[in-house]
Amino acid sequence: MSAPELNRPVDDFEAPATGDQTIRLSDLKGRNVVVYFYPKDNTPGCTTEGQDFRDRHDQFEALDTVIFGVSRDGLKAHENFREKQAFPFHLISDKDEALCQLFDVIKLKKLYGKEYMGIDRSTFLIDKDGVLRREWRGVKVPDHVDEVLEATRSL
């Protein structure tokens, strides 16, 4: 599998999510899908980004759009994070990095002078036919969700 290209269908995927669910892209045909990748549950930027998606969830729903947050955290951590923040959408656990690899979001990062491989905060907008319409890489959290919402309105 190679990273999805704009205006091309995204390869089908299957992944475990909160609520004891298995998410399959093919099951979501007929709805727009927002998949946002974030580094870690319960960290400041990731919490703010999730809250921004939470606070605009009704607007995405009105556009027949489902949202999924993805990180390498396990399902137990995701369940706690989702409950604590009252996220109305599900979080996908990608411990084996299969989705991270599919969307090519693992990048070399630096923290306190140390280098490591981590998730590059990224968001992907997939239309009702499973076609990738927009992608945002190296996301800065402020105003990002509003930009995704605006792009979703234009579908």
Side-chain angles (χ1 to χ4, degrees):
M1 289 188 209
S2 59
E5 296 178 38
L6 283 178
N7 301 314
R8 302 263 177 152
V10 176
D11 289 340
D12 195 18
F13 61 79
E14 181 176 299
T18 52
D20 200 27
Q21 293 193 50
T22 299
I23 304 302
R24 288 177 198 81
L25 184 60
S26 55
D27 292 345
L28 300 167
K29 282 266 166 85
R31 298 194 77 190
N32 300 312
V33 179
V34 170
V35 180
Y36 78 94
F37 290 84
Y38 63 95
K40 185 138 184 67
D41 290 347
N42 291 303
T43 56
C46 300
T47 299
T48 299
E49 183 177 25
Q51 290 168 339
D52 288 349
F53 275 111
R54 176 197 66 202
D55 295 347
R56 289 160 188 78
H57 184 260
D58 289 348
Q59 294 172 68
F60 281 102
E61 277 288 311
L63 298 169
D64 203 16
T65 303
V66 293
I67 299 166
F68 297 103
V70 182
S71 79
R72 298 182 295 188
D73 294 294
L75 286 173
K76 185 169 176 36
H78 273 350
E79 292 285 4
N80 292 337
F81 185 43
R82 182 173 180 245
E83 185 177 328
K84 182 177 176 183
Q85 299 301 328
F87 293 156
F89 51 85
H90 288 283
L91 301 177
I92 293 173
S93 174
D94 193 33
K95 283 180 102 89
D96 65 0
E97 297 182 359
L99 274 186
C100 289
Q101 299 296 332
L102 173 63
F103 285 90
D104 191 28
V105 298
I106 299 290
K107 303 292 180 202
L108 185 64
K109 300 176 95 176
K110 281 186 180 180
L111 183 66
Y112 305 119
K114 292 190 178 192
E115 291 185 338
Y116 66 99
M117 298 303 285
I119 292 179
D120 182 42
R121 191 182 306 278
S122 305
T123 302
F124 300 87
L125 176 58
I126 303 165
D127 73 9
K128 295 177 180 196
D129 297 317
V131 174
L132 180 65
R133 292 298 175 190
R134 288 285 305 269
E135 66 178 24
W136 294 264
R137 294 181 180 272
V139 166
K140 302 292 182 235
V141 173
D143 302 319
H144 172 63
V145 173
D146 289 328
E147 197 175 319
V148 176
L149 185 58
E150 199 53 45
T152 305
R153 283 189 182 113
S154 72
L155 291 180

